[in-house]
Amino acid sequence: MNRYPLWKYLLLLVVLGLGIVYAMPNLYAPDPAVQISGYSADFTVDEKALKKITTALDNANIGYKSAALEEGGSALIRLNAIGDQLSAQRTIEEAINRGTNQGDLYIVALNSAQNTPQWLADLGAKPMNLGLDLAGGVHFVLEVDTPKVVNDRLHDSEEVIKKAIRKARIFNTKTAIDKGALVVTAETQEAQTQVATLIKDELPRMQRKSSEENGKFVVRANLAQEAIKEIEDLAVIQNLSTLRNRVNELGVAEPLVQRLGRNRIIVELPGVQDTARAKKVIGKTANLEFRLEAKPDAGFSQRQKFNHRQEDMQARTGGSYLERRPIITGESVTNATRGFDQETGQPQVNISLDADGGAAMHRATRNNVGRRLGVLFIEYRPSTRTVTNADGVEEQIVEQVAIKNIISLATVQSALGREFRTTGLSENEAGELALLLRSGALAAPMVFVEERTIGPSLGAENIERGILSIQLGMFLVVLIMLAYYRVSGVAANIALAFNVALLAAIMSPFATLTLPGLAGIVLTVGMAVDANVLIFSRIKEEIAAGMPVQSAISTGFDRAFTTILDANITTLIVALILFGIGSGPIKGFAVTLSIGILTSMFTAIVVTRAVINLIYGGRDIKKLSI
Amino acid sequence: MSDLKVLNFMRYAKVAAITSIVLLVVSIGSLAVKGLNLGLDFTGGTSIELEYATAPNIEQVRSDLVAAGYPSAVVVAYGADTDIMVRIQGDAANLAEDVSQVLNSGEYDVTIKQASFIGPQIGEELRDDGGLGMLFALGVVMVYVALRFQFKFSIGAVAALVHDVIIVLGVFSLLGLDFDLTVLAAILAVIGYSLNDTIVVYDRVRENFRIIRDMTVPEVINYSLTQTLGRTLMTSGTTVVVLLALFFVGGEMIHNFATALLIGVGVGTYSSIYVASVILLAMKVTPEDLMPPKVEVEGEEFEELP
């Protein structure tokens, strides 16, 4: 009695072995590091820049473990001490970003470099991501100005209906926007009916209401609530993807860009300390301008020279002249994606414009087939320069520099409309161009509503203390279980150890560990033994009631199971709902709690049973040490 | 049956009821009059970026500010190692100057780089969502308990849970402790813990109702409570031990979390013995309540699983 078949033991060993392997990377502490990357995809860190960096670090007496170039054109400097991170960042900034008139060329970001051994990394094992409160970093909340987007849409509709009214030759009408509604005032009832029909045909998504006010005949049209929500959603989603692109530019290890509520976006950048700088990159207003290439005979007042963003193109041409007048700007671009030509398979960029932009593009290109169309990318980069002020003290001034570069210059093959494409690019170029076009077209303005910074030393302190309290708490729990349950306590403690390993293994690939999450683990440790306590008290009861030891063990486990299941499912329900509604720290806590409930049920029931079976199973026992 | 000495818990039902009512009234009263001392997460405040001539000692800055009457100031390192950021409640125009003056009086030379007000909107949204979510969670739990046990049990479980949460909030309000996001997380954990405890007791009551025929309802409840008392104390004990470790060693940032949970576990243990069972008695629960065939079939199905 009370014996598991061999396969069950083997299965358990496999599960536990996997748990230990995947939990292991967490034992290797990461190195504090500084990561240096170029501001754009075609601007990379090379050996020369790396040499500059290491020399500067040597001069500043900052010790580092290694300095190496990485794939993707960035460099990673592993430092000896976490306290050196900020001064290393400043030293490197000064060494490579000063003395240029192009704004800062490199992004120097704080980072932590993993130390997971290769064989573990090959198995896909990685340590847990640390949340902001543990790793340090910045946290922003941005609010998307959705009312403006909705209002813009109303203005678009007003234009559409004005045009339709003119075309239908309905006279003496006035259009206006009033309290979120489009109002058309007509003189006669007949005109009112006509206008209502026009609105129905041209703007099918608007809700109409006709009325008579002060002797005039009025039609009011509102955007339906769902339509407003859809417009807002689109705006927020486009801003989200734009933000993701910009955040990627910062070269942060594990950034988080997430929608919060109806029109807010959370951005968390672990490891980044310089809020001012991060804000500039995130909140930068990039824009686009589509301009025709200037004719060779155009006068100076009509043309303007720009550099190409791509280095080889710039080297070949030395810059190109464009007309001074833009055809459209980035606001007209609704989407841009990389695609492939269906016939030739060549990469291309598909560009979509809004109605007005499409019309303007058509007007500008239909008589200019054969000329070249240029796309200017305008971005504002922070530029730091050092000046000597009146007191003779050197001061650093951060200012915004508008950088305008040509990102595409292509021959117009035919009159362009709302949808057109640019070909003749490499795959990477097409990808980069689409990304630039998209990030130049921000759907709605955003404002920062919250910002927080957590220093890396504070993060380190949190982890240290958290781990110490986990160790202490666990040690005490183990002691109590041993003192109270003796040999069975050993089984429970083995289960507890595996519980922590499994919890760490499951959480490592996807969960981000935050301070409340850490507390959740500690709490799980305390509560995890509950299932064992339930089982053991049940076994004790059965023995006290005179049942033979072996059947008491079996009955105890069986009877306690229902209780454990009910108690844990109710807690799990709460945890899952918390996960669904909560944000940030609450979510982290809910994840830890949910996983903790599942692993503790598994280890308390299955692992404890296995150990007890191994010790007592299949023998004739008079007395159980419990 | 064993020769277990049954403790007459229900003899003190009235005392417990009165104690609970007094605690609840005091808590709700304090929440209404004094309110919660909401942390920066909820209230918003001013964020002041300061630059030191030489790198400051963060701990020192923190204690200086506390001594100067800003107990809720949050001090963090930021940017270069000579920069710090102080987040503080309030939006007074000269707050930044006052703070820099406090810090300037020492050996350091401090200049204000920037001061800006951070809105509390996030807190409001979170509070609304959190409140709604909690109601929803309570609803789902009630349905689950009603299905697995019976409607009267779900009232008891939820009442015990609400009782615990209100008292923890009340203690925080009375003592004027900072209520921040970690404390909110702790409250949520208290809900989990309290439920867990109550369900274990109810489970035993359900089982005893089915197998014992010769006892009155209060006797069955007493008997069940006595049977589960060892487990209740043991689990509370281990959890409290871990929480004490968090409380004393875990550091400043989880101190309030540990405090909330310590109160919660204490109240939760008490409420699973008294509140949850007294409510069962008050609602005149009978063994017949648990007899509908559907519940029994479900119960047995689960028992066969392991």
Side-chain angles (χ1 to χ4, degrees), chain A residues 143-153 228-229 231-237 239 259 262-264 443-446:
Chain A
E143 193 171 277
V144 181
D145 189 357
T146 44
K148 182 183 176 298
V149 182
V150 173
N151 208 28
D152 284 354
R153 178 62 68 94
I228 293 180
K229 198 162 176 305
I231 294 169
E232 288 180 346
D233 277 348
L234 266 176
V236 173
I237 289 165
N239 278 12
R259 184 171 182 175
R262 193 154 171 182
N263 62 349
R264 292 221 173 88
M446 288 185 287

Short mmCIF file of all heavy atoms in Angstrom, two decimals, chain A residues 143-153 228-229 231-237 239 259 262-264 443-446:
data_model
loop_
_atom_site.label_atom_id
_atom_site.label_comp_id
_atom_site.label_asym_id
_atom_site.label_seq_id
_atom_site.Cartn_x
_atom_site.Cartn_y
_atom_site.Cartn_z
N GLU A 143 -0.84 60.55 -21.85
CA GLU A 143 -2.25 60.59 -22.18
C GLU A 143 -2.39 61.02 -23.63
O GLU A 143 -1.79 62.01 -24.03
CB GLU A 143 -2.97 61.56 -21.26
CG GLU A 143 -4.47 61.43 -21.34
CD GLU A 143 -5.15 62.24 -20.25
OE1 GLU A 143 -5.26 61.76 -19.12
OE2 GLU A 143 -5.50 63.38 -20.55
N VAL A 144 -3.16 60.25 -24.38
CA VAL A 144 -3.37 60.59 -25.79
C VAL A 144 -4.52 61.57 -25.88
O VAL A 144 -5.57 61.37 -25.25
CB VAL A 144 -3.70 59.32 -26.60
CG1 VAL A 144 -3.89 59.66 -28.06
CG2 VAL A 144 -2.61 58.29 -26.43
N ASP A 145 -4.33 62.64 -26.63
CA ASP A 145 -5.36 63.67 -26.73
C ASP A 145 -6.45 63.19 -27.69
O ASP A 145 -6.56 63.68 -28.82
CB ASP A 145 -4.71 64.97 -27.22
CG ASP A 145 -5.67 66.13 -27.15
OD1 ASP A 145 -6.84 65.90 -26.77
OD2 ASP A 145 -5.26 67.26 -27.46
N THR A 146 -7.28 62.26 -27.23
CA THR A 146 -8.31 61.72 -28.12
C THR A 146 -9.41 62.72 -28.47
O THR A 146 -9.94 62.65 -29.57
CB THR A 146 -8.92 60.43 -27.53
OG1 THR A 146 -9.15 60.64 -26.15
CG2 THR A 146 -7.99 59.26 -27.72
N PRO A 147 -9.80 63.62 -27.56
CA PRO A 147 -10.82 64.60 -27.96
C PRO A 147 -10.43 65.36 -29.23
O PRO A 147 -11.27 65.63 -30.08
CB PRO A 147 -10.89 65.54 -26.76
CG PRO A 147 -10.44 64.74 -25.61
CD PRO A 147 -9.44 63.76 -26.16
N LYS A 148 -9.12 65.65 -29.36
CA LYS A 148 -8.67 66.37 -30.54
C LYS A 148 -8.89 65.52 -31.80
O LYS A 148 -9.33 66.03 -32.83
CB LYS A 148 -7.19 66.73 -30.41
CG LYS A 148 -6.67 67.53 -31.59
CD LYS A 148 -5.20 67.82 -31.48
CE LYS A 148 -4.68 68.54 -32.70
NZ LYS A 148 -4.82 67.77 -33.93
N VAL A 149 -8.60 64.22 -31.67
CA VAL A 149 -8.77 63.34 -32.83
C VAL A 149 -10.23 63.30 -33.25
O VAL A 149 -10.56 63.39 -34.44
CB VAL A 149 -8.29 61.92 -32.50
CG1 VAL A 149 -8.41 61.03 -33.71
CG2 VAL A 149 -6.86 61.96 -32.00
N VAL A 150 -11.10 63.18 -32.24
CA VAL A 150 -12.52 63.11 -32.55
C VAL A 150 -12.97 64.42 -33.19
O VAL A 150 -13.72 64.44 -34.18
CB VAL A 150 -13.33 62.83 -31.26
CG1 VAL A 150 -14.81 62.91 -31.52
CG2 VAL A 150 -12.96 61.47 -30.70
N ASN A 151 -12.45 65.53 -32.65
CA ASN A 151 -12.80 66.83 -33.19
C ASN A 151 -12.31 66.98 -34.63
O ASN A 151 -13.01 67.50 -35.50
CB ASN A 151 -12.18 67.90 -32.30
CG ASN A 151 -12.99 69.17 -32.33
OD1 ASN A 151 -14.20 69.11 -32.56
ND2 ASN A 151 -12.34 70.30 -32.14
N ASP A 152 -11.08 66.49 -34.88
CA ASP A 152 -10.54 66.53 -36.25
C ASP A 152 -11.47 65.78 -37.19
O ASP A 152 -11.72 66.21 -38.31
CB ASP A 152 -9.15 65.89 -36.30
CG ASP A 152 -8.10 66.82 -35.72
OD1 ASP A 152 -8.47 67.98 -35.41
OD2 ASP A 152 -6.95 66.39 -35.58
N ARG A 153 -11.95 64.65 -36.71
CA ARG A 153 -12.81 63.84 -37.54
C ARG A 153 -14.10 64.61 -37.88
O ARG A 153 -14.58 64.58 -39.00
CB ARG A 153 -13.15 62.52 -36.81
CG ARG A 153 -14.08 61.61 -37.57
CD ARG A 153 -13.48 61.15 -38.89
NE ARG A 153 -12.35 60.28 -38.71
CZ ARG A 153 -12.44 58.95 -38.70
NH1 ARG A 153 -13.61 58.37 -38.86
NH2 ARG A 153 -11.37 58.21 -38.52
N ILE A 228 -17.08 56.93 -32.01
CA ILE A 228 -16.10 57.70 -31.25
C ILE A 228 -15.08 56.76 -30.61
O ILE A 228 -13.87 56.97 -30.67
CB ILE A 228 -16.80 58.53 -30.16
CG1 ILE A 228 -17.64 59.62 -30.82
CG2 ILE A 228 -15.79 59.14 -29.20
CD1 ILE A 228 -18.37 60.51 -29.85
N LYS A 229 -15.59 55.68 -30.04
CA LYS A 229 -14.71 54.74 -29.37
C LYS A 229 -13.72 54.14 -30.37
O LYS A 229 -12.54 53.96 -30.08
CB LYS A 229 -15.52 53.63 -28.70
CG LYS A 229 -14.74 52.92 -27.67
CD LYS A 229 -15.57 52.14 -26.71
CE LYS A 229 -14.66 51.37 -25.76
NZ LYS A 229 -13.69 50.52 -26.42
N ILE A 231 -12.66 55.51 -33.18
CA ILE A 231 -11.67 56.52 -33.56
C ILE A 231 -10.60 56.63 -32.48
O ILE A 231 -9.41 56.66 -32.74
CB ILE A 231 -12.37 57.89 -33.76
CG1 ILE A 231 -13.32 57.83 -34.95
CG2 ILE A 231 -11.34 58.99 -33.96
CD1 ILE A 231 -14.24 59.02 -35.06
N GLU A 232 -11.07 56.67 -31.23
CA GLU A 232 -10.13 56.78 -30.11
C GLU A 232 -9.20 55.58 -30.06
O GLU A 232 -7.99 55.71 -29.89
CB GLU A 232 -10.90 56.89 -28.79
CG GLU A 232 -11.57 58.21 -28.60
CD GLU A 232 -12.32 58.28 -27.28
OE1 GLU A 232 -12.52 57.21 -26.65
OE2 GLU A 232 -12.72 59.37 -26.89
N ASP A 233 -9.80 54.38 -30.23
CA ASP A 233 -9.00 53.16 -30.19
C ASP A 233 -7.90 53.19 -31.24
O ASP A 233 -6.75 52.88 -30.96
CB ASP A 233 -9.89 51.93 -30.43
CG ASP A 233 -10.56 51.49 -29.16
OD1 ASP A 233 -10.15 52.00 -28.10
OD2 ASP A 233 -11.47 50.65 -29.22
N LEU A 234 -8.28 53.57 -32.45
CA LEU A 234 -7.32 53.62 -33.54
C LEU A 234 -6.17 54.57 -33.21
O LEU A 234 -5.01 54.24 -33.41
CB LEU A 234 -8.00 54.10 -34.82
CG LEU A 234 -8.51 53.00 -35.72
CD1 LEU A 234 -9.26 53.59 -36.90
CD2 LEU A 234 -7.35 52.14 -36.21
N ALA A 235 -6.54 55.74 -32.67
CA ALA A 235 -5.52 56.73 -32.34
C ALA A 235 -4.57 56.19 -31.29
O ALA A 235 -3.35 56.30 -31.41
CB ALA A 235 -6.18 58.02 -31.85
N VAL A 236 -5.14 55.56 -30.25
CA VAL A 236 -4.30 55.05 -29.17
C VAL A 236 -3.40 53.92 -29.69
O VAL A 236 -2.21 53.85 -29.39
CB VAL A 236 -5.15 54.56 -27.98
CG1 VAL A 236 -4.29 53.89 -26.94
CG2 VAL A 236 -5.90 55.73 -27.36
N ILE A 237 -3.98 53.06 -30.55
CA ILE A 237 -3.20 51.93 -31.05
C ILE A 237 -2.05 52.42 -31.93
O ILE A 237 -0.92 51.95 -31.83
CB ILE A 237 -4.10 50.94 -31.81
CG1 ILE A 237 -4.99 50.21 -30.80
CG2 ILE A 237 -3.29 49.95 -32.61
CD1 ILE A 237 -6.14 49.48 -31.41
N ASN A 239 -0.58 55.33 -31.71
CA ASN A 239 0.41 55.93 -30.83
C ASN A 239 1.22 54.87 -30.11
O ASN A 239 2.41 55.04 -29.88
CB ASN A 239 -0.27 56.85 -29.81
CG ASN A 239 -0.56 58.21 -30.40
OD1 ASN A 239 -0.45 58.38 -31.61
ND2 ASN A 239 -0.92 59.15 -29.58
N ARG A 259 -1.06 49.79 -23.02
CA ARG A 259 -2.22 50.67 -22.91
C ARG A 259 -2.79 50.59 -21.50
O ARG A 259 -2.82 49.52 -20.91
CB ARG A 259 -3.27 50.22 -23.93
CG ARG A 259 -4.46 51.13 -23.95
CD ARG A 259 -5.35 50.76 -25.09
NE ARG A 259 -6.48 51.68 -25.12
CZ ARG A 259 -7.38 51.68 -26.06
NH1 ARG A 259 -7.28 50.83 -27.05
NH2 ARG A 259 -8.38 52.53 -26.03
N ARG A 262 -8.68 53.90 -21.10
CA ARG A 262 -9.20 54.27 -22.40
C ARG A 262 -8.18 55.02 -23.25
O ARG A 262 -8.03 54.76 -24.44
CB ARG A 262 -10.44 55.12 -22.20
CG ARG A 262 -11.22 55.28 -23.47
CD ARG A 262 -12.68 55.55 -23.18
NE ARG A 262 -13.37 55.91 -24.40
CZ ARG A 262 -14.65 56.25 -24.44
NH1 ARG A 262 -15.34 56.25 -23.33
NH2 ARG A 262 -15.21 56.57 -25.57
N ASN A 263 -7.47 55.97 -22.67
CA ASN A 263 -6.58 56.78 -23.52
C ASN A 263 -5.23 57.05 -22.89
O ASN A 263 -4.62 58.07 -23.14
CB ASN A 263 -7.27 58.09 -23.89
CG ASN A 263 -7.58 58.93 -22.67
OD1 ASN A 263 -7.46 58.44 -21.54
ND2 ASN A 263 -7.95 60.17 -22.86
N ARG A 264 -4.78 56.13 -22.03
CA ARG A 264 -3.45 56.34 -21.46
C ARG A 264 -2.50 55.23 -21.89
O ARG A 264 -2.92 54.13 -22.23
CB ARG A 264 -3.54 56.33 -19.93
CG ARG A 264 -4.27 57.52 -19.40
CD ARG A 264 -3.56 58.04 -18.18
NE ARG A 264 -4.18 59.28 -17.77
CZ ARG A 264 -5.23 59.31 -16.95
NH1 ARG A 264 -5.73 58.20 -16.48
NH2 ARG A 264 -5.75 60.46 -16.61
N ALA A 443 -0.61 59.73 -34.60
CA ALA A 443 -2.04 59.95 -34.81
C ALA A 443 -2.60 61.08 -33.97
O ALA A 443 -3.44 61.83 -34.41
CB ALA A 443 -2.79 58.66 -34.51
N ALA A 444 -2.16 61.20 -32.76
CA ALA A 444 -2.73 62.21 -31.89
C ALA A 444 -1.66 62.69 -30.95
O ALA A 444 -0.78 61.92 -30.56
CB ALA A 444 -3.89 61.62 -31.10
N PRO A 445 -1.71 63.94 -30.55
CA PRO A 445 -0.70 64.44 -29.62
C PRO A 445 -0.82 63.74 -28.27
O PRO A 445 -1.90 63.29 -27.87
CB PRO A 445 -1.02 65.92 -29.49
CG PRO A 445 -2.28 66.17 -30.22
CD PRO A 445 -2.67 64.96 -30.97
N MET A 446 0.32 63.64 -27.57
CA MET A 446 0.30 63.00 -26.26
C MET A 446 0.92 63.95 -25.24
O MET A 446 1.78 64.75 -25.59
CB MET A 446 1.15 61.73 -26.28
CG MET A 446 0.53 60.60 -27.04
SD MET A 446 1.52 59.11 -26.90
CE MET A 446 2.90 59.51 -27.92
#
